[in-house]
Amino acid sequence: MKNIIAFAGSNSKTSINKQLAIYASSLVEGVEVNALDLNDYNLPLYGTDLESEAGIPDDAHKLLNILKNTDGIVLSLAEHNGAYSVAFKNAFDWLSRIEGKLFFNKPMLLMATSPGGRGGQTVLDIAKGRFPFHDGNIIETFSLPFFSENFKDGKIVNEDLDTQLKNSVKQFQKVL
């Protein structure tokens, strides 16, 4: 059986992006899902001085090995001031110091959601431009606007948006 990981580019304990990632991964058939939480990885704020003095944290190696050993990635990015959250960017920076091509060409369903009408579209655009340089194999992207209106009880309640996500999941599943 194939395995995929699902996580949010956020360290919020009530992350709306984690909720979206969990829902999307539940739609992938015939796979085992490993839901990750960035809070489970102790990664101090990246800096070259810290890396020189203390080396790369063990948790960065653990997280990278999870990426290396999965069959697919479902990632929903939080958007903070139009860019990645600090928690995600920090993890990204540490992992890229171990292995620059940190996504290992694994199929990826890349998403974002936000309380507003753009649904994290700005951070998705950044990631779509950046991730391929790190062997990010983005199969599909999905943006969910107005999270609190469109997502309730663990699922998307707007039928059109739910259909869009399900179509994206189907394309993602085809390449697993």
Side-chain angles (χ1 to χ4, degrees):
M1 176 179 284
K2 301 247 179 179
N3 70 76
I4 63 172
I5 58 172
F7 69 107
S10 170
N11 63 344
S12 170
K13 292 178 181 171
T14 59
S15 170
I16 61 177
N17 281 281
K18 184 173 183 181
Q19 292 175 59
L20 178 60
I22 297 300
Y23 174 62
S25 67
S26 77
L27 300 172
V28 183
E29 298 175 356
V31 298
E32 183 176 317
V33 178
N34 180 9
L36 303 180
D37 188 325
L38 291 180
N39 291 304
D40 294 337
Y41 301 90
N42 184 19
L43 301 173
L45 191 60
Y46 178 78
T48 55
D49 293 338
L50 178 61
E51 182 184 358
S52 295
E53 294 165 10
I56 296 173
D58 288 343
D59 277 355
H61 289 280
K62 288 177 189 172
L63 185 54
L64 187 69
N65 281 331
I66 291 170
L67 286 169
K68 192 179 284 189
N69 292 309
T70 192
D71 295 307
I73 301 166
V74 175
L75 171 58
S76 189
L77 294 169
E79 183 176 285
H80 292 185
N81 295 314
Y84 308 124
S85 72
V86 170
F88 178 78
K89 180 66 166 77
N90 189 55
F92 185 87
D93 288 345
W94 277 115
L95 298 179
S96 71
R97 297 298 295 157
I98 302 168
E99 187 129 6
K101 308 288 186 184
L102 60 102
F103 293 117
F104 306 101
N105 205 35
K106 305 292 180 171
M108 182 184 296
L109 172 57
L110 181 62
M111 304 177 298
T113 188
S114 74
R118 288 191 32 82
Q121 192 61 52
T122 304
V123 74
L124 277 178
D125 290 343
I126 293 169
K128 287 190 295 188
R130 181 79 243 149
F131 286 9
F133 291 103
H134 299 274
D135 274 354
N137 180 11
I138 302 167
I139 303 303
E140 286 286 324
T141 62
F142 176 77
S143 170
L144 179 65
F146 301 114
F147 180 83
S148 63
E149 296 170 25
N150 290 315
F151 195 95
K152 296 188 187 324
D153 300 321
K155 62 183 179 181
I156 295 175
V157 294
N158 177 300
E159 195 173 306
D160 291 338
L161 291 169
D162 197 45
T163 298
Q164 286 177 30
L165 176 61
K166 287 176 178 174
N167 288 336
S168 293
V169 167
K170 284 179 187 173
Q171 294 306 310
F172 171 71
Q173 187 159 354
K174 281 182 184 179
V175 298
L176 284 178

